[in-house]
C-alpha cells in the first residue's frame, strides 16, 4: 500500500496560538504593534482575526476541544477493545457510514474500481469489529429533496421576504461555522435549514435503524467516514445531541486518511481483504448497486435544485446544465432563460477566496443569485483535506484529486426522486413528506452564535478584502508575514 500523509488538526504554523498565548500571559504585551504585509501592503497594529481563527480551527473552546478529541481512531479502538473484554450484554453495536466522496479515495489507493474498493473497505471495517457498514447516499437524497422543497417555498415568497433569496446550501460545516461565528445575520437567515447528509444519516441510524434492530440509540456507536476534518466539528454541535437519549447522532467522525492510516499501521494487504458488500438500511430490500448524485464531486445540490425548480416553477425540462466560469473554476454560475428573460440564476462558490467575494457582494447588495452552493474546499468535497492533502503537507495533491474525480464520475447517477427506498422511509419512518416528524428530523436552524473573544481578537473591516494571504482552502491568520496553511 502506498503511503498517505495524515495531517493533524493542529499541525499548522501555530502563529495564532502562539500570539494568543503571548498576549494572554502578558509576555507579548507589545506584539500587537507588529506590522503585517498582506498582498504587498503593510498594516500596522495587526491583530489575530476572529474570522481567520474560526476558519482554520486554530482556536476552539476547551469544551469543543474536549469533544473533538473524542473524534479519533483511539476512541474507536477503545470501544472495539471494550467489546472484546466486557460481557456481551454491554457490547455496543458499531455502525459505520461512509460518504460517497470518500470511496474514490480508497478506489485510487487500492487500485480498484469504486465498487470493489467499497467492498474491500467494508471487509476491513468488519474485520475490526464493525457490525454494519452503510454509504450515506440515501441520507444525501433526503437532504437534496428537502432542499429542493425549501427552495421552491423561498422563491415563491421572495417578493415579501427579504431573507428568502439567495438561499445558501448548508451541507458544508466549514461554511456554516464561518457564517454563524463571523457573518451572523447577514447570512444565517439565508441558509437552507435542511440537515447535511451526515446528520440525516445520524438520525437514520440512531432513530430508525436502531429501532429496527431493537436497540437503544445509546447502544449503537455510529462512526462516519468523511473526506473532511470539519465534519468532526459538525458532529459535536449541541443540536445533534439528545439529552433524553444521552446519545449523539454521530458518535465519531474519521477522515478517509485516518482509516487508510489505520490500515497502514496494521500492515493490511488489500488483496488479502475479504470483499464484503455494503449493508442497507432496509436490509435485503435495499439497493444493491452504488450510485451517485449529480455534481462534479460533491452531492450536487445546485444541479438537482436547478432542474427541479425549472420544472416546478416554469414547466421547463433541463437535461444538461452549462456552467459559466466567472473568477475561476470554483466560481461558476448557471442561468435559466426563456425568450431572452432570465428566470433563474444560480452560482457555485468553492474555497474561501471566492466565499470572500460572495460576502463582499452580500454586504453591498449585489448578489443576483437565487441559490448559491457554498463549499469551503476549493474543488468541492473530493478535495477535502482529510484525504486530498499531498505527502509534502499543506497543499492539495492535484493528481490524486483528478484520479478521484474520474473514479467518482464512473458511478451511475440516480435522482433521489426516483429512489423507492426514500419513498418507503418517508412513509415508514417519517410519517409522510410534510409531517412534523420529517421537519424535526430532517431540518435544523442556523443562527448567529455569540462567540466570546479576547480583546486582541477583533474583526478588522479594513482587511476584509485582503484576508487571504495563504492557500485558497483557509482564511489565514494575519499575525506575521508567514501565513498559516489552515486545513
Amino acid at each position: 500500500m502506498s503511503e498517505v500523509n495524515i495531517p493533524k488538526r493542529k499541525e499548522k504554523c501555530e502563529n495564532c496560538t502562539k500570539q494568543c498565548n503571548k498576549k494572554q500571559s502578558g509576555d507579548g504585551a507589545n506584539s500587537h504593534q507588529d506590522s503585517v504585509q498582506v498582498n504587498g501592503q503593510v498594516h500596522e497594529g495587526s491583530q489575530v482575526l476572529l474570522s481567520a481563527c474560526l476558519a482554520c480551527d486554530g482556536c476552539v473552546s476547551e469544551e469543543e476541544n474536549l469533544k473533538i478529541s473524542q473524534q479519533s481512531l483511539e476512541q474507536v479502538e477503545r470501544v472495539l477493545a471494550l467489546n472484546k473484554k466486557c460481557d456481551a450484554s454491554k457490547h455496543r453495536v458499531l455502525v459505520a457510514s461512509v460518504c460517497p466522496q470518500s470511496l474514490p479515495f480508497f478506489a485510487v489507493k487500492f487500485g480498484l474500481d469504486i465498487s470493489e474498493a467499497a467492498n474491500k473497505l467494508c471487509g476491513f471495517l468488519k474485520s475490526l469489529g464493525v457490525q454494519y457498514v452503510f454509504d450515506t447516499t440515501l441520507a444525501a437524497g433526503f437532504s437534496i429533496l428537502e432542499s429542493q422543497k425549501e427552495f421552491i417555498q423561498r422563491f415563491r415568497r421572495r417578493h415579501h421576504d427579504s431573507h428568502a433569496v439567495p438561499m445558501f446550501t448548508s451541507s458544508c460545516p466549514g461554511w456554516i461555522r464561518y457564517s454563524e461565528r463571523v457573518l451572523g445575520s447577514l447570512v444565517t437567515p439565508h441558509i437552507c435549514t435542511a440537515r447535511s447528509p451526515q446528520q440525516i444519516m445520524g438520525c437514520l441510524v440512531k432513530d430508525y435503524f436502531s429501532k429496527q434492530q431493537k436497540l437503544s440509540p445509546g447502544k449503537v456507536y455510529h462512526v462516519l467516514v468523511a473526506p473532511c476534518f470539519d465534519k468532526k466539528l459538525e458532529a459535536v454541535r449541541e443540536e445533534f445531541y439528545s439529552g433524553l437519549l444521552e446519545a449523539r447522532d454521530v458518535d465519531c467522525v474519521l477522515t478517509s486518511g485516518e482509516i487508510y492510516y489505520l490500515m497502514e499501521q496494521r500492515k493490511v494487504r488489500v488483496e488479502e481483504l475479504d470483499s464484503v458488500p455494503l449493508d442497507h438500511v432496509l436490509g435485503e430490500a435495499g439497493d444493491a448497486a452504488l450510485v451517485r448524485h449529480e455534481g462534479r464531486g460533491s452531492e450536487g445540490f445546485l444541479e438537482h435544485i436547478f432542474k427541479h425548480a425549472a420544472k416546478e416553477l416554469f414547466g421547463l425540462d433541463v437535461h444538461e446544465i452549462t456552467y459559466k466560469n466567472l473568477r475561476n473554476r470554483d466560481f461558476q454560475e448557471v442561468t435559466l432563460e426563456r425568450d431572452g428573460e432570465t428566470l433563474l440564476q444560480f452560482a457555485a462558490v468553492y474555497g474561501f477566496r471566492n466565499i470572500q467575494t460572495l460576502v463582499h457582494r452580500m454586504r453591498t447588495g449585489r448578489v443576483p443569485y437565487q441559490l448559491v452552493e457554498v463549499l469551503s474546499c476549493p474543488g468541492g468535497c473530493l478535495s477535502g483535506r482529510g484525504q486530498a492533502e499531498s505527502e509534502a503537507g499543506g497543499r492539495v495533491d492535484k493528481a490524486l484529486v483528478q484520479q478521484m474525480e474520474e473514479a467518482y464520475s464512473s458511478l451511475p447517477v440516480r435522482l433521489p426522486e426516483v429512489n423507492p427506498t426514500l419513498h418507503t422511509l418517508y412513509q415508514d419512518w417519517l410519517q409522510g413528506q410534510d409531517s412534523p416528524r420529517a421537519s424535526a428530523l430532517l431540518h435544523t436552524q442556523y443562527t448567529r452564535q455569540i462567540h466570546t473573544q479576547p480583546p486582541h481578537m477583533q474583526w478588522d473591516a479594513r482587511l476584509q478584502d485582503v484576508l487571504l494571504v495563504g492557500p485558497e482552502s483557509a482564511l489565514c491568520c494575519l499575525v506575521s508575514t508567514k501565513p498559516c496553511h489552515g486545513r
Side-chain angles (χ1 to χ4, degrees):
M1 294 170 64
S2 61
E3 292 187 359
V4 63
N5 181 56
I6 307 297
K8 302 290 186 183
R9 188 177 62 85
K10 290 285 189 178
E11 283 183 0
K12 300 189 281 286
C13 69
E14 300 289 354
N15 282 325
C16 50
T17 306
K18 291 173 183 176
Q19 292 296 325
C20 286
N21 290 340
K22 277 185 183 181
K23 289 170 183 175
Q24 287 169 352
S25 66
D27 293 339
N30 296 321
S31 61
H32 67 282
Q33 298 298 330
D34 295 342
S35 63
V36 173
Q37 185 172 340
V38 182
N39 290 352
Q41 301 180 38
V42 176
H43 298 273
E44 299 295 333
S46 66
Q47 299 166 317
V48 180
L49 298 181
L50 177 61
S51 58
C53 291
L54 290 175
C56 72
D57 298 334
C59 296
V60 295
S61 69
E62 283 188 27
E63 183 181 5
E64 283 178 319
N65 222 6
L66 177 62
K67 291 175 181 176
I68 295 169
S69 69
Q70 297 169 356
Q71 307 275 310
S72 65
L73 281 171
E74 290 76 13
Q75 186 70 16
V76 175
E77 290 179 313
R78 189 175 296 117
V79 174
L80 289 167
L82 286 173
N83 275 359
K84 293 178 180 178
K85 293 178 182 177
C86 66
D87 183 81
S89 63
K90 297 179 181 179
H91 283 189
R92 298 189 73 180
V93 175
L94 272 83
V95 176
S97 299
V98 184
C99 295
Q101 290 77 27
S102 288
L103 292 176
F105 171 81
F106 293 103
V108 173
K109 290 296 180 181
F110 295 170
L112 300 170
D113 68 65
I114 199 164
S115 295
E116 182 57 23
N119 291 346
K120 289 286 188 179
L121 175 63
C122 182
F124 171 68
L125 293 172
K126 291 198 171 185
S127 74
L128 297 176
V130 175
Q131 284 95 324
Y132 300 93
V133 181
F134 304 119
D135 84 292
T136 66
T137 304
L138 189 65
F142 275 118
S143 189
I144 289 168
L145 291 178
E146 293 299 309
S147 298
Q148 288 178 173
K149 182 168 63 177
E150 181 171 333
F151 176 77
I152 298 299
Q153 294 168 349
R154 283 174 175 264
F155 187 86
R156 286 174 172 159
R157 68 172 191 263
R158 70 193 184 284
H159 294 304
H160 59 269
D161 180 357
S162 62
H163 293 141
V165 295
M167 184 178 93
F168 298 122
T169 56
S170 56
S171 63
C172 175
W175 159 243
I176 294 299
R177 184 175 174 85
Y178 180 58
S179 299
E180 289 185 322
R181 297 292 183 98
V182 180
L183 305 177
S185 58
L186 174 71
V187 165
T188 52
H190 295 269
I191 297 175
C192 178
T193 65
R195 292 193 187 198
S196 72
Q198 168 176 305
Q199 295 310 134
I200 291 179
M201 194 68 200
C203 285
L204 195 55
V205 167
K206 290 295 183 86
D207 188 73
Y208 177 79
F209 181 74
S210 63
K211 288 177 182 176
Q212 299 303 304
Q213 300 298 316
K214 296 180 172 54
L215 298 168
S216 68
K219 188 81 170 176
V220 175
Y221 188 82
H222 185 202
V223 180
L224 190 126
V225 182
C228 174
F229 284 106
D230 284 350
K231 289 293 184 181
K232 296 175 185 279
L233 275 168
E234 180 180 22
V236 302
R237 287 176 67 98
E238 285 304 315
E239 62 265 37
F240 302 141
Y241 174 81
S242 171
L244 181 64
L245 301 175
E246 296 185 344
R248 291 198 174 278
D249 296 337
V250 177
D251 294 288
C252 181
V253 173
L254 297 177
T255 66
S256 318
E258 286 174 307
I259 294 292
Y260 193 77
Y261 176 69
L262 179 61
M263 296 178 77
E264 287 187 318
Q265 275 190 322
R266 298 187 174 221
K267 296 181 168 51
V268 171
R269 294 174 61 87
V270 174
E271 57 271 19
E272 295 175 359
L273 286 172
D274 290 335
S275 228
V276 182
L278 296 175
D279 297 296
H280 306 287
V281 173
L282 293 184
E284 294 303 319
D287 301 315
L290 284 173
V291 296
R292 68 178 176 91
H293 294 127
E294 294 182 298
R296 72 178 195 236
S298 303
E299 289 297 351
F301 283 86
L302 182 149
E303 294 200 19
H304 285 281
I305 296 173
F306 187 85
K307 291 181 179 180
H308 176 76
K311 181 68 173 178
E312 181 75 14
L313 297 171
F314 305 105
L316 298 176
D317 290 310
V318 176
H319 301 291
E320 294 292 332
I321 288 182
T322 302
Y323 285 92
K324 176 184 176 183
N325 286 359
L326 297 182
R327 293 170 59 87
N328 47 59
R329 186 171 178 257
D330 283 331
F331 199 132
Q332 300 177 310
E333 70 175 32
V334 179
T335 303
L336 179 69
E337 296 181 342
R338 182 172 60 188
D339 299 329
E341 177 188 4
T342 298
L343 303 177
L344 292 174
Q345 195 171 4
F346 287 11
V349 177
Y350 300 169
F352 272 109
R353 284 187 188 274
N354 293 321
I355 288 174
Q356 282 300 109
T357 299
L358 175 67
V359 170
H360 179 69
R361 291 181 182 180
M362 281 290 289
R363 292 186 187 279
T364 56
R366 294 186 292 110
V367 177
Y369 311 115
Q370 294 87 35
L371 179 131
V372 185
E373 181 182 82
V374 189
L375 298 171
S376 62
C377 288
C381 296
L382 286 177
S383 300
R385 289 304 177 94
Q387 65 182 25
E389 190 146 303
S390 66
E391 292 185 14
R395 299 285 175 180
V396 167
D397 185 333
K398 293 182 179 179
L400 173 60
V401 171
Q402 183 176 353
Q403 289 177 289
M404 288 193 290
E405 287 177 348
E406 292 171 358
Y408 186 74
S409 64
S410 70
L411 287 173
V413 172
R414 184 166 70 174
L415 298 177
E417 290 93 331
V418 299
N419 187 336
T421 305
L422 285 172
H423 294 290
T424 299
L425 286 169
Y426 263 119
Q427 297 306 317
D428 295 352
W429 174 40
L430 299 169
Q431 300 162 9
Q433 290 198 19
D434 298 312
S435 68
R437 183 168 172 77
S439 179
L441 294 181
L442 303 182
H443 290 262
T444 187
Q445 292 293 326
Y446 300 104
T447 58
R448 179 183 180 185
Q449 293 186 5
I450 304 300
H451 186 76
T452 304
Q453 59 188 91
H456 63 281
M457 293 174 65
Q458 296 177 10
W459 170 257
D460 190 339
R462 294 176 307 149
L463 304 183
Q464 176 179 320
D465 298 322
V466 290
L467 277 172
L468 295 154
V469 296
E472 290 187 354
S473 58
L475 285 171
C476 292
C477 303
L478 303 182
V479 293
S480 80
T481 55
K482 178 185 176 183
C484 74
H485 289 293
R487 284 183 295 277

